[in-house]
Amino acid sequence: MSLALRADTQKKKGLSDREAALSRDEHGANSISGGKKRGFMSRYLEGFSDPIIRVLLIALGINILMLFRGASVAEPLGIAAAVMIATMVSTISEHRSESTFMRLQEEASRVSCAIWRDGALCELPADEVVVGDLICLQAGDRIPADAVIVSGSVEVDQSALNGEAKEAKKYPGRRPIFNDGIDFLCRQALFRGTVVTRGECECEAVRVGNGTFYGKLAREVQVETRKSPLKLRLGRLADIISKLGYTGAGLVAFAHIFRSFVIEPGFSMSGTLALLHNPGVALAELLKAVTYAVIVIVVSVPEGLPMMITVVLSSNMKRMLRDNVLVRKLVGIETSGSMNILFTDKTGTLTGGRLKAAFLLDGEGAELTAEQAYRRREFWTMLFPAIALNCSAVMSSKKGVAAGGNATDRAVLEFVCQKPGGTKKLDAVNRIPFSSELKFSASHVTGDFSKTFIKGAPDLLLTHCSSYLGADGRLSPLDRKRIESEIARLSGSAYRLIAVCMSDFPVTPQGNFRELTLIGLLAIRDEVRPEAKKGVREAQSAGIQVVMITGDSADTARAIAKEVGIIRRDADLALTSAQFSGMSDAQVLKSLPSLRVLARATPADKSRLVRLSQEAGLVAGMTGDGINDAPALKAADIGFAMGSGTEVAKEAGDIVILDNNFASIANAVRYGRTIFKSIRKFIIFQLSVNLCAVGLSCVGPFIGVESPVTIIQMLWVNLVMDTLAGLAFGGEPPLRDYMSEMPKRRDEPIINKYMIGEILFTGSYTALLCVWFLKSPFAHSLFRESSGDIVFMTAFFTMFMFLGVFNSFNARTHRLNLCAHIWRNKAFILIMCLVITIQLTMIYFGGSFLRTTVLLPGETLCALLLALTVVPVDLFRKIFLRTCGKRGGV
């Protein structure tokens, strides 16, 4: 827009429609380019990139090839179902969550503004603002574009941009230069996304849409971030499972080939050569070995794992939404459980984001609530009109909430309006409104009595006070030093004091105060949220370092941090942005463990802190509600946006705290840790079963048992014990005990030493028990003789299955009490009962298909009792670890 056109714009009050169209073509529209929204199918296809899903797809491909060898169709169908369900549930959950989020964003973006067009004032959508438009603003309006003030003056709440709760005064002056160096203190500049709190003005739009500071931040948050800890760990687990599966498959294939070509010919070279000279027989044996190898690969892949992860994430996401926590990305829940450093915004997160008068300090230094002041009838008679008739704010229709004026006026008016004041017979005349230059406001009232009431800065008014108003309405000499010491004390606790005085003499705009009487000092600040202290305490007990980042001064930031419990020791470090910027990355990394506060912070400071924390190997979380928080929210491993925050912040966050409750973050951490533990419990169970099965397949040919478990039985075990067990472990309750543990490292593998020990111990015991059962004459004598030993092999299959069922109780807890919290996981109880029912049904009705026959009650009981031995054996392992001081756990 040229200077000539701007001058012409001023003369005729606004652009014409043609000029607006030309400006839109030249400078663009006032809409923010959103990131490319993924459709349902795009999200669904993306689910197949999960590392475990890829392993399953490979196993599925191998199974399909084996169908040409007459293999059962049950296993490929089972794997395909697991893949489809896992990816579909995940897609539906995230799609619904995104739809809910988009509805919230659409509702928040329906903003209109008053614009001069063709000499007439029009109400148009904010998206239609163009560069050069003349916009009319008044109290309560959200500024739709970056602009410069042309006429009038306003006070603006810029906390969404810079985190500073105090309003900024804006008025006409020398035209500022808008560039990448943002100066929020510039008196002539207005920024999109901020709110007018007082006054009226006309301003000219100079940057719109993506060109605004708001728009640039919105584009920053569309950049993809690094992989979540869960995806990283699952990728490594997939590699481990693949290697173990292929190794096991190779061993099984070798065992069967060795048995066929070496053991059966009686270790005779001539017998082996004779077998090799019969291509048909040799090829059949090789194919049989390959078939068993493929079965081992399939069995080693826990297809229930991705479905369990998806189901537990989805169910927790619904539960958390009922608690006003909107999870935009499923993996965000688990990532929150891995978080070990949390950078939290102050305004609107730890504090309410709204100034409030906490109490009144009277002339004797006593702190009074509104209720206590009201009980002093004579005192209240002066206090109420001193504020209610000397204030630019008014009480709104909403009970207890003031509107208009600046934040300070609204806070003091809400304090006195908690109780009735009876000012109907008093009239305010000769009012002097507050200004930052005068530092006071005054009002002369007449009616029942005649007084001049003054409120303003204590350093200005106290020097003119010689007396104070007592509880009984009488005047007493003022001890100014005592009051000044109280002011210093309260200032150290982040309170701002407003002096309320009265006089029998009038006051002019120049001051000329005479014989002032102090009524009291109102202590005002942005109050800490009641739940913030508890939330911070829970996060710290969970081993999470909490760092407060704010645009406030260092003294205010330090006082708030001490109150909420972020600063607890002298060694805790509080820095300003200037100090932080002067430090090298190496110095910041060295100081990071003791850092608790960063004051006067800029958006660049927040993003730098997140980056350096990630470089240090930490899982970084970020909370915030302002536009200035968005880049760091996006860059963090887990971003918590406040529900009352800006659209840009919510777009950047992984989780939206709809009720702004900081304690909800601690709940998210607890849910995240529960999910990770559930995954580990399932893996212990699954790999223990797999180790037993693979061990049997490897050892079987050497002990004369070619197929202790048939291929159909093996697939049946895999389908039932894998998929259903995955759902059972997915229902584990979120225990508060988990919040007393230290966070897991980002690079910590899913399988830890405790898990390896349990898998090897239990897997080896169950495999040895199975070998003993198959080769022991005593075990054989417990069951009836039958054709083909079908009764004995049915009993073995029964014992094998129930070994898995009983071992699931071992795997779900590291405690000696295997039933600890079990009633809070009803899914586990129901699924295990279902597995037992199905297994007994298949034993009695499986017939030749499953190589089973009817067992007598005593025979079934023997098989169950032998399987039950896995419980005391594992209890012995747990007791031994405790005795050695190695309790461990998942």
Side-chain angles (χ1 to χ4, degrees):
M1 186 66 62
S2 67
L3 288 173
L5 183 54
R6 280 202 300 271
D8 186 52
T9 297
Q10 298 295 322
K11 188 187 302 179
K12 66 182 182 183
K13 278 287 185 181
L15 303 176
S16 66
D17 288 340
R18 180 176 175 276
E19 288 169 336
L22 289 173
S23 178
R24 187 176 291 107
D25 291 339
E26 182 180 353
H27 301 285
N30 195 32
S31 56
I32 306 296
S33 300
K36 186 177 179 182
K37 302 300 179 184
R38 291 174 298 164
F40 183 86
M41 187 53 65
S42 173
R43 288 177 182 274
Y44 181 68
L45 294 175
E46 185 181 345
F48 289 92
S49 64
D50 182 275
I52 297 293
I53 294 291
R54 287 178 176 176
V55 174
L56 287 177
L57 291 174
I58 294 172
L60 178 61
I62 294 173
N63 269 272
I64 291 173
L65 291 176
M66 293 305 296
L67 290 177
F68 296 101
R69 283 281 304 148
S72 170
V73 75
E75 179 63 16
L77 286 177
I79 296 177
V83 170
M84 297 291 284
I85 291 172
T87 50
M88 183 62 71
V89 170
S90 175
T91 304
I92 291 173
S93 298
E94 285 202 0
H95 187 72
R96 284 179 177 173
S97 181
E98 189 65 20
S99 298
T100 303
F101 173 74
M102 291 306 297
R103 284 197 299 272
L104 291 173
Q105 295 291 72
E106 288 171 8
E107 291 171 5
S109 63
R110 292 170 187 164
V111 178
S112 60
C113 55
I115 306 172
W116 286 98
R117 287 281 173 87
D118 283 325
L121 191 61
C122 308
E123 191 81 12
L124 296 174
D127 285 354
E128 294 192 20
V129 173
V130 298
V131 171
D133 262 332
L134 196 62
I135 307 166
C136 291
L137 297 172
Q138 57 186 355
D141 287 346
R142 186 176 293 274
I143 298 171
D146 289 353
V148 292
I149 287 189
V150 174
S151 63
S153 65
V154 291
E155 290 183 10
V156 180
D157 178 2
Q158 297 186 140
S159 61
L161 294 179
N162 62 4
E164 176 62 67
K166 186 178 179 181
E167 288 96 343
K169 182 81 172 179
K170 304 285 183 175
Y171 45 75
R174 185 169 59 87
R175 189 180 184 88
I177 299 174
F178 281 82
N179 52 36
D180 291 335
I182 303 299
D183 181 11
F184 297 119
L185 298 179
C186 176
R187 298 301 184 185
Q188 293 76 44
L190 300 173
F191 298 94
R192 176 171 179 161
T194 58
V195 179
V196 177
T197 59
R198 184 180 183 184
E200 296 182 354
C201 75
E202 288 184 347
C203 61
E204 180 187 341
V206 294
R207 296 193 305 195
V208 296
N210 293 335
T212 62
F213 176 68
Y214 182 103
K216 289 177 181 177
L217 287 179
R219 290 202 310 281
E220 278 188 46
V221 305
Q222 294 164 15
V223 179
E224 288 301 316
T225 53
R226 65 177 182 170
K227 283 184 178 180
S228 70
L230 180 60
K231 286 191 175 181
L232 196 66
R233 291 162 178 160
L234 286 177
R236 292 174 180 171
L237 177 64
D239 291 339
I240 292 172
I241 289 174
S242 298
K243 291 174 182 177
L244 291 176
Y246 294 139
T247 302
L251 290 173
V252 169
F254 172 78
H256 280 272
I257 291 172
F258 189 81
R259 178 180 183 277
S260 300
F261 290 89
V262 178
I263 296 176
E264 289 187 353
F267 293 91
S268 166
M269 181 62 71
S270 59
T272 301
L273 291 175
L275 190 63
L276 290 173
H277 282 99
N278 189 338
V281 175
L283 183 60
E285 293 298 331
L286 288 173
L287 286 175
K288 186 183 292 185
V290 170
T291 300
Y292 275 101
V294 169
I295 295 300
V296 168
I297 292 175
V298 172
V299 169
S300 68
V301 177
E303 62 258 34
L305 180 58
M307 185 161 64
M308 183 211 75
I309 294 172
T310 301
V311 169
V312 73
L313 287 172
S314 300
S315 61
N316 283 329
M317 186 168 74
K318 291 178 182 177
R319 191 178 301 123
M320 294 172 77
L321 183 58
R322 290 195 294 269
D323 294 333
N324 294 309
V325 179
L326 174 62
V327 180
R328 296 190 59 216
K329 297 177 182 177
L330 282 178
V331 76
I333 307 176
E334 191 281 330
T335 305
S336 63
S338 301
M339 179 174 63
N340 40 31
I341 188 166
L342 174 62
F343 299 107
T344 175
D345 184 39
K346 177 188 77 71
T347 306
T349 305
L350 293 173
T351 64
R354 194 166 184 268
L355 290 180
K356 182 178 179 182
F359 55 85
L360 176 82
L361 188 73
D362 70 6
E364 295 177 349
E367 296 179 5
L368 305 176
T369 64
E371 174 67 32
Q372 290 169 330
Y374 178 69
R375 291 174 188 165
R376 300 178 173 186
R377 303 304 300 171
E378 297 298 326
F379 180 84
W380 185 261
T381 300
M382 291 298 162
L383 175 64
F384 189 92
I387 294 174
L389 298 180
N390 184 22
C391 185
S392 59
V394 295
M395 294 305 294
S396 68
S397 57
K398 188 176 179 181
K399 186 177 180 181
V401 177
N406 58 29
T408 301
D409 275 356
R410 291 195 294 273
V412 298
L413 185 62
E414 287 173 1
F415 180 83
V416 295
C417 285
Q418 294 178 48
K419 295 294 178 180
T423 58
K424 292 182 180 179
K425 295 182 181 180
L426 291 173
D427 294 314
V429 296
N430 300 328
R431 296 184 62 175
I432 301 174
F434 176 85
S435 71
S436 55
E437 293 79 15
L438 294 177
K439 297 175 68 176
F440 77 91
S441 67
S443 179
H444 183 71
V445 301
T446 60
D448 287 347
F449 54 81
S450 177
K451 289 283 183 184
T452 298
F453 294 113
I454 310 102
K455 66 176 173 63
D459 58 346
L460 173 67
L461 300 181
L462 283 180
T463 56
H464 301 282
C465 292
S466 57
S467 62
Y468 71 90
L469 184 67
D472 56 0
R474 296 180 182 180
L475 303 188
S476 302
L478 178 66
D479 184 349
R480 193 177 300 157
K481 288 185 178 180
R482 179 179 179 181
I483 293 298
E484 287 173 351
S485 67
E486 288 295 315
I487 291 174
R489 177 181 65 83
L490 293 172
S491 297
S493 297
Y495 285 102
R496 187 155 62 92
L497 282 300
I498 304 296
V500 182
C501 306
M502 66 182 186
S503 175
D504 292 329
F505 300 94
V507 174
T508 66
Q510 290 74 33
N512 74 324
F513 306 111
R514 295 170 57 193
E515 298 183 21
L516 299 187
T517 296
L518 177 67
I519 300 175
L521 295 111
L522 282 163
I524 300 172
R525 70 169 181 172
D526 185 7
E527 282 293 315
V528 170
R529 291 180 178 275
E531 66 275 5
K533 296 179 185 179
K534 178 184 175 184
V536 168
R537 188 166 57 251
E538 281 191 276
Q540 291 172 333
S541 68
I544 299 171
Q545 178 184 345
V546 181
V547 180
M548 186 179 81
I549 306 178
T550 177
D552 281 338
S553 67
D555 289 341
T556 299
R558 193 177 289 108
I560 295 295
K562 286 182 179 178
E563 183 172 348
V564 297
I566 291 176
I567 290 180
R568 295 185 294 177
R569 296 179 294 270
D570 293 339
D572 291 338
L573 185 62
L575 297 175
T576 64
S577 178
Q579 292 170 324
F580 178 71
S581 300
M583 298 170 69
S584 66
D585 285 357
Q587 289 173 320
V588 173
L589 287 171
K590 185 178 179 181
S591 303
L592 189 60
S594 59
L595 181 63
R596 295 296 179 271
V597 173
L598 182 61
R600 296 295 186 196
T602 66
D605 293 336
K606 299 177 183 182
S607 297
R608 184 188 179 202
L609 264 178
V610 169
R611 174 178 60 81
L612 291 175
S613 299
Q614 291 174 336
E615 287 180 8
L618 302 176
V619 177
M622 175 76 187
T623 77
D625 60 353
I627 301 167
N628 60 323
D629 299 322
L633 281 169
K634 183 67 175 181
D637 294 292
I638 177 70
F640 299 95
M642 298 297 121
S644 62
T646 62
E647 292 80 9
V648 172
K650 286 183 275 191
E651 178 73 35
D654 302 296
I655 293 177
V656 181
I657 309 298
L658 298 176
D659 60 353
N660 295 348
N661 191 338
F662 188 88
S664 297
I665 296 172
N667 287 334
V669 171
R670 185 156 51 92
Y671 278 110
R673 293 186 176 186
T674 301
I675 290 166
F676 188 59
K677 286 180 177 291
S678 296
I679 292 170
R680 282 183 154 180
K681 291 173 183 179
F682 173 73
I683 289 172
I684 289 174
F685 167 78
Q686 181 64 47
L687 294 188
S688 298
V689 173
N690 290 355
L691 179 60
C692 177
V694 172
L696 271 178
S697 299
C698 291
V699 175
F702 296 99
I703 61 174
V705 183
E706 181 178 355
S707 52
V709 180
T710 68
I711 291 176
I712 298 298
Q713 287 176 343
M714 186 78 80
L715 296 179
W716 175 251
V717 171
N718 191 46
L719 282 171
V720 175
M721 302 303 288
D722 190 343
T723 305
L724 290 179
L727 297 178
F729 282 99
E732 284 296 290
L735 304 178
R736 294 207 172 271
D737 295 356
Y738 301 157
M739 296 300 285
S740 61
E741 300 177 7
M742 291 295 102
K744 310 298 181 188
R745 299 190 320 274
R746 173 180 166 79
D747 60 349
E748 180 171 328
I750 288 183
I751 302 178
N752 63 13
K753 290 182 179 179
Y754 177 87
M755 295 170 65
I756 293 173
E758 183 169 356
I759 291 166
L760 291 176
F761 183 85
T762 310
S764 299
Y765 170 76
T766 51
L768 289 173
L769 179 63
C770 289
V771 170
W772 173 84
F773 186 94
L774 291 169
K775 300 302 293 181
S776 168
F778 173 74
H780 208 284
S781 68
L782 297 174
F783 306 94
R784 290 169 291 150
E785 295 291 335
S786 59
S787 175
D789 232 0
I790 186 69
V791 171
F792 181 71
M793 296 311 296
T794 300
F796 172 77
F797 181 43
T798 303
M799 183 193 74
F800 184 82
M801 282 296 296
F802 279 93
L803 275 170
V805 171
F806 295 136
N807 191 43
S808 67
F809 287 84
N810 293 329
R812 67 167 294 274
T813 181
H814 66 280
R815 295 176 173 85
L816 298 179
N817 177 13
L818 301 186
C819 294
H821 306 290
I822 197 169
W823 296 109
R824 293 179 63 185
N825 185 1
K826 293 181 175 60
F828 182 89
I829 298 170
L830 292 174
I831 288 173
M832 287 305 153
C833 289
L834 178 64
V835 169
I836 291 171
T837 302
I838 293 175
Q839 180 58 30
L840 292 175
T841 302
M842 297 308 295
I843 288 171
Y844 288 94
F845 300 99
S848 60
F849 179 74
L850 282 175
R851 199 185 66 182
T852 59
T853 189
V854 175
L855 294 178
L856 297 175
E859 293 171 330
T860 303
L861 181 61
C862 284
L864 290 178
L865 289 174
L866 286 170
L868 187 60
T869 59
V870 75
V871 171
V873 166
D874 192 66
L875 284 175
F876 170 78
R877 179 190 64 84
K878 292 175 180 176
I879 293 170
F880 177 77
L881 288 177
R882 288 167 184 254
T883 304
C884 297
K886 301 177 181 179
R887 294 173 68 102
V890 297

